[in-house]
């Protein structure tokens, strides 16, 4: 009898796009993660909301043993049987946690010839949602401890912190720990705890939220601690750990290296926080004309934000800044003695570009968008997950599955295939496991580079 993994690895996989097509799901509503995995767009739910309801079959069990009772195997087998009878059927399973996968229970993709493939991908990271939940959970924990360290304006009682850190792994030694040990700069000493990621409140909220705005509201209402008076303190009250020392918020969007943008809906709550705390915003908008989803929105255009915002444009090795005269005059006092003047020809070129080159900018945007879509498609075919960039000319694929640091990956890629990319750690510790790729090159050059990258990735996986 073959093992589960032997059966899974010998199975013939249909591309997920082909599976989606058989279910009348348009290609535009798929967010691909390689050839055999995909997410569905939010807009798909609106498109099908008036379709007739199907029939729901719930598979469950009571008092499972440590090894499980075979609910997933039963569900997959039932789906296969209904499909064999000519029914249009979809099964809905939860994503496995790495804890049970490496524990006595094992994987959670079914068993025998009734399992979901690619089984290894499903059991190990899948589309990265657990990582995102873990990061969000622990970011909130870090904000909480930083708020206590930086003056504790909310009078949080360190003995009544109820928000726990999380990790998608079974590790009993982390259940009850002490944090903040060391010197004065290492935080307040207090008892802390870890839970497995699937036990995080953020996991529950993600399942219940109806849309992104609802998700934000629910996250803001999380109770993270109690103050010395016994009143609850919520995530929203932390306000990203803004302290009396905070004077300025920096917004580099469209972003380098991720290509992320901020929509008007994203910026509006930021503007409210800025006004509430009497802050200024430094908005780096060098890529404002290179957006591929919606027109760029500057936070300076929102009500009450014009006089609080300094808009900087740093391109062409020239750049300029727009803001209140009383502020720019003070900046000039430092700038004129610290920076050499830009060459005269660069200044004339910049003036000409601003006045008469809108047509060329549109051509650039069209060409970049073509290259952007090409790279997204190719990275997905290679199985390199990446956040879809909607601005600038960078893409930030994930290379965490290769067991090496970003710098090691980039160095080997350069040495072995003569393809240069920037390791994610060049942009800080959070960039570990990613690679910045620029598409400010011709499509022909990008095709050659992608071919070499593909060969490199295949060797790593061999």
């Amino acid at each position: 009898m073959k093992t589960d993994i032997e059966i899974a690895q010998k199975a013939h996989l249909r591309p997920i796009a082909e599976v989606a097509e058989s279910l009348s799901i348009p290609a535009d509503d798929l967010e691909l993660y390689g050839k055999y995995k995909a997410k569905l767009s939010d807009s798909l739910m609106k498109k099908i909301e008036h379709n007739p309801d199907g029939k729901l079959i719930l598979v469950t069990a009571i008092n499972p043993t440590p090894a499980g009772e075979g609910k997933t195997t039963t569900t997959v087998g039932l789906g296969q049987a209904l499909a064999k009878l000519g029914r249009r059927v979809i099964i809905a399973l939860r994503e496995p946690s790495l804890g049970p996968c490496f524990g006595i229970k094992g994987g959670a993709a079914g068993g025998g010839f009734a399992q979901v493939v690619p089984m290894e991908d499903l059991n190990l990271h899948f589309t990265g949602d657990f990582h995102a939940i873990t990061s969000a959970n622990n970011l909130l924990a870090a904000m909480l401890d930083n708020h206590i360290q930086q003056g504790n304006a909310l009078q949080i009682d360190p003995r009544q912190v109820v928000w726990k850190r999380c990790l998608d792994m079974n590790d009993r030694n982390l259940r009850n720990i002490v944090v903040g040990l060391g010197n004065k700069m290492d935080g307040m000493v207090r008892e802390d705890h870890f839970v497995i990621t699937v036990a995080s409140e953020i996991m529950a909220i993600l399942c219940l939220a109806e849309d992104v705005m609802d998700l934000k509201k629910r996250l803001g209402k999380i109770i993270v601690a109690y103050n010395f008076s016994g009143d609850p303190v919520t995530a929203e009250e932390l306000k990203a750990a803004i302290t009396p020392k905070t004077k300025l918020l920096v917004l580099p969007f469209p972003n380098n290296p991720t290509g992320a943008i901020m929509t008007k809906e994203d910026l509006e709550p930021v503007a409210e926080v800025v006004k509430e705390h009497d802050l200024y915003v430094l908005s780096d908008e060098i890529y404002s004309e290179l957006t591929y989803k919606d027109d760029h929105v500057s936070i300076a255009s929102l009500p009450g934000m014009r006089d609080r915002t300094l808009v900087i444009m740093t391109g062409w090795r020239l750049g300029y800044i727009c803001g209140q005269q009383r502020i720019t005059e003070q900046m000039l006092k430092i700038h004129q003695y610290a920076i050499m003047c830009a060459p005269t020809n660069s200044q004339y070129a910049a003036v000409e570009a601003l006045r008469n080159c809108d047509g060329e900018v549109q051509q650039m945007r069209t060409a970049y968008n073509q290259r952007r879509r090409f790279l997204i498609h190719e990275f997905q075919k290679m199985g390199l997950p990446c956040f879809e960039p909607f601005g600038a000319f960078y893409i930030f694929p994930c290379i965490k599955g290769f067991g090496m640091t970003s710098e090691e990956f980039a160095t080997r890629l350069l040495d072995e295939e003569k393809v240069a990319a920037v390791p994610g750690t060049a942009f800080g510790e959070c960039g570990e496991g990613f690679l910045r790729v620029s598409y400010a090159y011709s499509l022909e050059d990008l095709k050659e580079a992608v071919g070499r990258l593909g060969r490199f990735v295949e060797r790593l996986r061999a």
Side-chain angles (χ1 to χ4, degrees), residues 352-390:
E352 178 63 21
L354 290 169
R355 285 178 174 170
N356 301 311
C357 293
D358 286 350
E360 284 78 0
V361 172
Q362 179 58 48
Q363 292 176 14
M364 289 170 58
R365 184 161 51 239
T366 300
Y368 283 147
N369 193 27
Q370 181 186 13
R371 301 171 199 170
R372 177 185 73 96
R373 295 174 68 87
F374 166 74
L375 285 180
I376 292 171
H377 180 262
E378 292 301 313
F379 286 156
Q380 288 172 343
K381 283 202 316 184
M382 287 184 213
L384 299 180
C386 62
F387 169 86
E388 182 174 359
F390 288 112

Side-chain angles (χ1 to χ4, degrees), residues 104-318:
I104 190 172
K105 184 176 180 297
F113 288 94
Q115 57 178 306
V116 182
V117 288
M119 180 258 278
E120 306 96 310
D121 288 5
L122 181 68
N123 283 326
L124 305 176
H125 305 302
F126 201 29
T127 57
D129 288 355
F130 275 18
H131 170 72
I133 292 168
T134 303
S135 298
N137 184 101
N138 294 340
L139 173 61
L140 181 53
M143 288 166 52
L144 175 62
D145 282 320
N146 187 60
H147 182 88
I148 296 172
Q149 172 76 2
Q150 300 293 339
N152 200 5
L154 295 174
Q155 291 295 290
I156 293 170
D157 184 350
R159 300 164 299 177
Q160 296 193 77
V161 173
V162 296
W163 188 251
K164 301 175 182 179
R165 288 171 161 82
C166 73
L167 182 70
D168 192 31
M169 189 63 63
N170 292 343
D171 189 343
R172 69 180 73 250
N173 285 355
L174 291 178
R175 291 176 183 172
N176 303 289
I177 60 174
V178 176
V179 297
L181 297 174
N183 60 38
K184 182 179 179 181
M185 298 303 295
D186 293 323
M188 174 74 69
V189 176
R190 67 176 184 85
E191 183 179 338
D192 202 355
H193 313 273
F194 268 84
V195 295
I196 198 165
T197 295
V198 290
S200 168
E201 187 175 343
I202 291 178
M203 171 68 80
I205 289 173
L206 182 63
C207 296
L208 293 171
E210 296 180 357
D211 52 40
V212 173
M213 295 308 296
D214 185 40
L215 177 66
K216 290 180 179 180
K217 289 178 182 178
R218 290 174 182 267
L219 292 174
K221 294 177 181 178
I222 291 174
I223 295 176
V224 296
Y226 292 85
N227 61 23
F228 288 110
S229 300
D231 300 319
V233 178
T234 65
E236 188 175 29
E237 289 179 274
L238 289 176
K239 296 294 186 185
I242 292 174
T243 73
K245 297 180 181 179
T246 307
K247 304 299 180 186
L248 181 75
L249 178 68
V250 180
L251 293 179
F253 293 94
N255 183 260
N256 172 15
T258 66
I261 62 172
M262 291 191 76
T263 64
K264 183 179 179 182
E265 290 72 23
D266 295 325
L267 291 169
E268 286 174 338
V270 176
E272 292 306 312
V273 172
V274 167
K275 288 185 285 186
E276 178 183 347
H277 293 272
D278 195 22
L279 306 178
Y280 284 91
V281 174
L282 185 65
S283 184
D284 184 350
E285 303 181 17
I286 179 56
Y287 302 115
S288 61
E289 297 300 316
L290 297 176
T291 57
Y292 314 106
K293 185 178 182 181
D294 301 305
D295 289 338
H296 173 72
V297 177
S298 173
I299 195 170
S301 67
L302 301 184
M305 289 303 298
R306 179 173 178 175
D307 289 342
R308 294 182 177 275
T309 305
L310 297 164
V311 177
I312 59 172
M313 305 292 284
T314 56
W316 305 326
R317 299 296 183 263
L318 182 64

Side-chain angles (χ1 to χ4, degrees), residues 45-60:
M45 299 305 296
K46 295 180 180 178
K47 294 177 183 177
I48 65 173
E49 62 183 354
H50 298 299
N51 289 5
D53 289 338
K55 294 180 174 62
L56 175 66
I57 301 173
L58 178 64
V59 179
T60 187

